[in-house]
Amino acid sequence: MPVNTPVIDRVSTYPGRVKLTPVVGEENVYDMVRADEPRVLGTLINKALLDQKAYTLTSNVTIYGNGSTGNDATGTGESTAPYKTIQRAINTIPKNLGGLSAVIDIAAGTYDEVLSVDNFSNGRLYLGAVDKAVTISGLSVSRSIDVVSYISNIKRTEKTSNFLIRVVHVGKVLINKNLVLDGGLGTGISCLVAAHGGILTSESGITLTINNSENTCIYSFFGGMIHLDSLAGTGNTGRGMYVDTGGVVSYKSSTLSAPLGNVTIAGGRIWTGTQTDAPSGLTPASVE
């Protein structure tokens, strides 16, 4: 069953419509009454609907998206009636996950979307599936913990601003599938950004590949923390990593090619190789 289906209490036949009746014996004077009486009275409000309107998830849920067959207007998020865009599917999930899991099951394909995942808490949000190749234009995660990504590719389009992945304000993302970031040699693009306590980690055995970045491949600052198991990439023309103001980047192995090298300033740190004592907060979360 889809979540966050609008609760219909009353739907007016003619919203805002009025009826004007001439007043007998008074020129240009009319009585006005509302004429938008509802035809659909809807259902009685009950506890289940109140819980739904309070935006708290009450059971594990899977919402489906399909760029080819889906429809944002008529879709319900069920497998037989998916949404067209991933963002539409995300927006139907209650912000309070209620200690449960929400899965956005995305059909394979390319979605010209910069996804925004904001203010989710108290549970786990999964984006995509391990057996489907999904390309998006960007991903921004803010104030949302335990976001697990199965996205395969993030490629810059005209919709993309100055990032491909951005994790900020104590957001936490676990990459659980080999991921390719393609900056398209876009001016000002920092392909991967973690800041203000945002944390991005990759599961063991996962490779993050960054190609065609003109500016900075990885930028961590203001307490942003990034841990990558394996890092690769070619075609980059700018810096590999820029880490400042308490930012941390940790990786086990790297073949990332970036001609301008790495920079650490103002307390930024880069950890390389297998860590016996990984930086605090960078241990990947387990995935059920």
Side-chain angles (χ1 to χ4, degrees), residues 95-120:
K95 298 297 187 181
N96 184 346
L97 297 175
L100 302 166
S101 295
V103 177
I104 309 295
D105 192 315
I106 308 163
T110 298
Y111 297 77
D112 189 10
E113 300 181 60
V114 179
L115 304 182
S116 179
V117 179
D118 298 324
N119 296 299
F120 286 92

Side-chain angles (χ1 to χ4, degrees), residues 89-90 93 97 100-104 116-118 120 123-127 144-149:
I90 292 172
I93 302 296
L97 297 175
L100 302 166
S101 295
V103 177
I104 309 295
S116 179
V117 179
D118 298 324
F120 286 92
R124 179 164 289 171
L125 178 64
Y126 293 86
L127 299 177
S144 299
I145 62 173
D146 290 337
V147 176
V148 180
S149 173

Side-chain angles (χ1 to χ4, degrees), residues 7-13 36-43 45:
V7 178
I8 299 176
D9 185 18
R10 283 187 172 84
V11 177
S12 297
T13 306
D36 60 353
E37 288 300 318
R39 277 192 310 198
V40 180
L41 296 180
T43 58
I45 297 296

Side-chain angles (χ1 to χ4, degrees), residues 161-172:
S161 53
N162 60 347
F163 63 88
L164 294 182
I165 296 181
R166 179 178 64 183
V167 187
V168 295
H169 301 303
V170 202
K172 185 175 181 181

Side-chain angles (χ1 to χ4, degrees), residues 28-45:
N28 296 326
V29 177
Y30 299 85
D31 287 328
M32 182 177 71
V33 296
R34 290 183 58 175
D36 60 353
E37 288 300 318
R39 277 192 310 198
V40 180
L41 296 180
T43 58
L44 296 176
I45 297 296

Side-chain angles (χ1 to χ4, degrees), residues 19-178:
K19 181 178 180 180
L20 299 177
T21 304
V23 177
V24 177
E26 297 188 43
E27 187 178 359
N28 296 326
V29 177
Y30 299 85
D31 287 328
M32 182 177 71
V33 296
R34 290 183 58 175
D36 60 353
E37 288 300 318
R39 277 192 310 198
V40 180
L41 296 180
T43 58
L44 296 176
I45 297 296
N46 55 42
K47 183 179 184 303
L49 294 178
L50 289 174
D51 286 345
Q52 178 177 299
K53 295 187 76 173
Y55 290 91
T56 299
L57 196 63
T58 56
S59 63
N60 294 328
V61 67
T62 298
I63 304 296
Y64 294 87
N66 191 311
S68 298
T69 65
N71 189 302
D72 283 352
T74 62
T76 63
E78 296 171 290
S79 59
T80 55
Y83 295 117
K84 183 175 182 63
T85 63
I86 304 170
Q87 190 64 56
R88 177 72 172 89
I90 292 172
N91 291 347
T92 66
I93 302 296
K95 298 297 187 181
N96 184 346
L97 297 175
L100 302 166
S101 295
V103 177
I104 309 295
D105 192 315
I106 308 163
T110 298
Y111 297 77
D112 189 10
E113 300 181 60
V114 179
L115 304 182
S116 179
V117 179
D118 298 324
N119 296 299
F120 286 92
S121 63
N122 191 27
R124 179 164 289 171
L125 178 64
Y126 293 86
L127 299 177
V130 68
D131 60 342
K132 299 174 183 177
V134 173
T135 298
I136 62 175
S137 301
L139 172 63
S140 175
V141 177
S142 175
R143 299 181 179 89
S144 299
I145 62 173
D146 290 337
V147 176
V148 180
S149 173
Y150 287 94
I151 302 297
S152 303
N153 301 275
I154 301 182
K155 186 172 182 178
R156 182 178 184 265
T157 68
E158 291 304 314
K159 286 186 177 182
T160 310
S161 53
N162 60 347
F163 63 88
L164 294 182
I165 296 181
R166 179 178 64 183
V167 187
V168 295
H169 301 303
V170 202
K172 185 175 181 181
V173 176
L174 172 65
I175 298 174
N176 209 39
K177 186 175 185 177
N178 289 342

Side-chain angles (χ1 to χ4, degrees), residues 263-284:
V263 172
T264 57
I265 61 173
R269 297 190 66 182
I270 298 176
W271 296 55
T272 61
T274 302
Q275 306 298 325
T276 56
D277 295 307
S280 175
L282 294 183
T283 303

